[in-house]
Amino acid sequence: MTELRSQRWYGGEGVRGFSHRARTRQLGIGAEEHTGKPVIGILNTWSEINPCHLHLRERAEAVKRGVWQAGGYPVELPMSAIAGETFTKPTAMLYRNLLAMEAEEVIRSYPVDGVVLMGGCDKTTPALLMGAVSAGLPAIFVPAGPMLRGNLRGEVLGSGSDMWKYWDDRRAGLVDDQMWSELEEGIARSPGHCMTMGTASTMTSAAEVLGMTLPGAASIPAADAGHPRMAAASGRMAVEMVWADRRPERILTEEAYRDAVTTVLALGGSTNAVIHLIAMARRGGIPLCLDDFDTAARRTPVLANIRPGGAWLMEDFYYAGGLRALLARLEDLLHLDRPTVTGKSLRDAIAGAQTYQDDVIRPRDNPLSAEAGLAVLRGNLAPDGAVIKHIAARPDLLRHTGPAVVFDGYADLLDRIDDPDLDVDENSVLVLREAGPQGGPGMPEHGMLPIPSKLLRRGVRDMVRISDARMSGTSYGACVLHIAPESHVGGPLALVRDGDLIALDTPGRRLDLLVPEPELARRRSAWTPPAPRYPRGYGALHAEHILQADAGCDFDFLAAPGRTPEPDAR
């Protein structure tokens, strides 16, 4: 790069250049501190209400240290806290695209030459990367890192996964108040995102294999001393990337996304990655689709023995060699000669990687599963597709036919699921609708429908559940998710009635409502669209422009082709 973008703001003899320089002096920054140096924006999603990112204020200082060391000028730019998973209602997914918009516009509107993206908690990773792809400036991602293992009376706990397990046990009368209180204090013991292979670990790992992080960055625990070292190194790399003009469009190729799909499957990763990777790829004009995941699943073994589908946690994964070690065991399935943020290839990134614990990162001849644990289903109940993480389900339920028990929205589910008079048994198929991108709203993680308490007391711990919702990557069970089109827009899920037989055939990739077509046509003609949920504001914008799950749940105007022009900084 011969001319820094930031000089459009700082250079020249005009009044605007003078004003920008004067206001920089107002910040206490002298001319020698920034003139002629790459300005690196640090997009930080830290906030006091996001425990996953509680350490990112400190990590931003490490990034700044690296930027200074490499001859750049760092500027921290706080991002919205609204896409943090743990407290946001109705769901952080409602705001993923809002954060992506904010990131894109902040990058474009300020005098930055490159950016460091700091995130990790579920939606922040895809949102920041989507914004960076659309903005088009050199960008490197700093993953927040997983938290430390949980602990309960000497038992190792996994965040999310063990919460669901013990919640079922408590509803079954097996966990008293004292144990529940101890669980509350022991399940999340440090800063960092979930240490199971939930959505956060899945998406930060995807960011690494895409080539958008330093090698090994996604596996480092948040509390490990290696984490601030990685943050500082990322700051140094950001400066190098500006001078080398390494932009996302040169890194995020079609081959990169195919490798991300393969890696997510080999990790036994979250089903949410399907939605996020499709949205990210399409921002770059790459037509990733559901069938790409299903095709890859049939040839990709699951090698990461990590909860909820396996036995270990992310801290163990790091000690066993981390993502680099897993990628080294997938070499023949990957495109190794494509570029990364370092300017070197993926082959270089994993060179010398070793596995130190074969039960955590399985060898190819002893996989956790010979075929990836995700399947894409189609049928008259899911014309545009649905997904199931079958590796986390009870095997005998993967082919199942049973009568529907229908819930119209999450409130109806909570009101009736534990009713002793509910007509349900272990062969029933629990159906939740009005939980999709529009109906949810925002497609909340309600897809792991609770087992009725009367069945829990009889020892039932899994049953077939279907919805147009998502579920947490830390969840498990025979849960069919992301049914498209969703019920709120008239998808077939809207036509299901109590007692209808539903057939799930996971090996055959089918999900069907066993009701004669004339009856379905009668129901379809009688269906009326629900009233709009939001009369104004962001919710109304979301409802008008959100795409369905099979298209990545982006906004139609953000997924549109073309490049937004640069601002005139004169």
Side-chain angles (χ1 to χ4, degrees):
M1 178 177 290
T2 57
E3 181 184 10
L4 293 170
R5 177 179 182 268
S6 56
Q7 284 303 106
R8 301 177 199 168
W9 277 259
Y10 290 123
E13 297 301 321
V15 68
R16 290 296 179 191
F18 169 84
S19 175
H20 296 145
R21 293 190 300 271
R23 292 301 186 178
T24 303
R25 304 300 166 266
Q26 183 183 8
L27 292 169
I29 302 298
E32 69 281 1
E33 296 183 76
H34 74 91
T35 302
K37 297 180 179 181
V39 178
I40 305 299
I42 302 170
L43 276 59
N44 191 355
T45 52
W46 171 89
S47 82
E48 288 186 340
I49 201 160
N50 187 343
C52 307
H53 295 178
L54 194 61
H55 58 308
L56 291 190
R57 172 176 274 182
E58 297 173 358
R59 295 299 180 270
E61 295 303 314
V63 173
K64 291 177 189 177
R65 184 174 80 240
V67 172
W68 287 119
Q69 289 168 350
Y73 169 49
V75 178
E76 188 173 357
L77 300 168
M79 292 285 99
S80 171
I82 203 166
E85 189 67 40
T86 46
F87 289 97
T88 305
K89 302 298 180 186
T91 170
M93 185 62 185
L94 183 67
Y95 302 108
R96 183 199 68 181
N97 297 339
L98 182 61
L99 178 58
M101 291 171 65
E102 180 189 19
E104 176 183 351
E105 298 305 326
V106 164
I107 293 169
R108 182 177 295 113
S109 61
Y110 278 112
V112 297
D113 301 295
V115 291
V116 177
L117 312 169
M118 303 186 70
C121 183
D122 290 20
K123 315 306 173 290
T124 61
T125 299
L128 292 172
L129 289 169
M130 288 162 70
V133 167
S134 295
L137 296 185
I140 185 170
F141 186 75
V142 171
M147 69 177 86
L148 300 178
R149 306 179 189 98
N151 183 273
L152 175 67
R153 300 178 179 179
E155 176 190 349
V156 173
L157 297 178
S159 55
S161 300
D162 279 311
M163 178 182 72
W164 309 123
K165 170 190 167 185
Y166 280 100
W167 175 236
D168 279 350
D169 286 349
R170 182 166 172 81
R171 291 172 61 231
L174 302 177
V175 173
D176 61 21
D177 290 346
Q178 177 61 38
M179 189 174 186
W180 190 243
S181 177
E182 292 176 30
L183 181 72
E184 183 179 301
E185 295 180 350
I187 199 165
R189 299 173 41 245
S190 77
H193 58 66
C194 288
M195 75 307 240
T196 48
M197 189 49 70
T199 305
S201 294
T202 301
M203 291 309 301
T204 54
S205 296
E208 181 173 332
V209 74
L210 283 167
M212 292 299 291
T213 78
L214 292 180
S219 307
I220 306 171
D224 193 280
H227 200 268
R229 295 197 298 269
M230 175 272 294
S234 298
R236 293 192 293 272
M237 184 56 66
V239 176
E240 179 185 315
M241 290 174 67
V242 169
W243 291 124
D245 200 26
R246 279 181 219 134
R247 298 172 182 258
E249 64 194 38
R250 301 177 183 178
I251 298 166
L252 297 175
T253 62
E254 182 172 350
E255 289 182 342
Y257 280 106
R258 294 197 180 280
D259 288 350
V261 170
T262 296
T263 302
V264 164
L265 295 170
L267 288 167
S270 168
T271 51
N272 290 314
V274 177
I275 292 175
H276 296 319
L277 286 173
I278 287 174
M280 290 162 58
R282 294 187 181 191
R283 285 290 186 102
I286 295 167
L288 195 67
C289 68
L290 288 177
D291 290 340
D292 294 320
F293 285 84
D294 198 64
T295 299
R298 296 175 187 269
R299 60 173 173 77
T300 304
V302 180
L303 302 184
N305 186 11
I306 304 174
R307 302 184 199 180
W312 301 87
L313 295 172
M314 285 299 294
E315 190 176 347
D316 307 299
F317 184 65
Y318 175 60
Y319 300 143
L323 187 65
R324 292 177 64 248
L326 180 131
L327 296 178
R329 289 188 162 176
L330 295 171
E331 282 189 338
D332 59 305
L333 300 179
L334 302 174
H335 302 86
L336 297 176
D337 295 318
R338 56 183 178 81
T340 70
V341 290
T342 66
K344 298 179 180 179
S345 68
L346 180 64
R347 185 186 305 277
D348 294 323
I350 63 175
Q354 297 184 53
T355 298
Y356 303 108
Q357 172 50 281
D358 278 342
D359 190 48
V360 179
I361 303 173
R362 295 287 186 89
R364 290 286 286 275
D365 61 2
N366 183 30
L368 195 67
S369 171
E371 182 180 297
L374 182 142
V376 174
L377 311 174
R378 298 185 190 274
N380 72 348
L381 199 46
D384 294 336
V387 301
I388 183 171
K389 188 175 181 178
H390 55 83
I391 196 173
R394 210 176 77 200
D396 63 294
L397 292 175
L398 298 178
R399 273 199 178 104
H400 180 83
T401 300
V405 179
V406 182
F407 300 94
D408 285 307
Y410 194 58
D412 181 40
L413 171 71
L414 295 181
D415 286 345
R416 295 195 294 122
I417 193 67
D418 290 330
D419 185 341
D421 296 325
L422 184 68
D423 187 10
V424 64
D425 63 26
E426 60 271 25
N427 296 310
S428 300
V429 175
L430 302 182
V431 178
L432 174 65
R433 55 191 176 208
E434 285 298 299
Q438 288 197 33
M443 206 176 179
E445 294 182 338
H446 294 160
M448 185 184 171
L449 282 68
I451 306 293
S453 57
K454 67 180 181 182
L455 299 184
L456 288 172
R457 287 191 290 270
R458 285 162 40 188
V460 177
R461 288 298 183 271
D462 197 6
M463 56 194 302
V464 175
R465 291 157 275 182
I466 72 170
S467 72
D468 45 16
R470 298 175 302 111
M471 76 176 183
S472 167
T474 67
S475 299
Y476 49 85
C479 302
V480 177
L481 311 159
H482 309 181
I483 290 178
E486 64 175 304
S487 59
H488 191 86
V489 299
L493 197 63
L495 310 180
V496 181
R497 301 290 181 264
D498 284 336
D500 288 349
L501 289 179
I502 293 174
L504 168 65
D505 179 6
T506 304
R509 301 309 202 248
R510 295 289 303 182
L511 181 68
D512 290 293
L513 179 61
L514 305 184
V515 173
E517 182 53 39
E519 171 60 16
L520 291 179
R522 185 191 68 78
R523 295 180 188 180
R524 197 175 293 113
S525 64
W527 181 82
T528 56
R533 189 180 296 270
Y534 292 102
R536 58 165 301 280
Y538 175 75
L541 177 100
H542 182 279
E544 183 176 352
H545 294 287
I546 192 70
L547 298 173
Q548 289 292 295
D550 62 300
C553 295
D554 203 354
F555 288 154
D556 52 11
F557 62 87
L558 293 177
R563 176 75 73 187
T564 302
E566 278 277 283
D568 187 345
R570 293 173 298 178

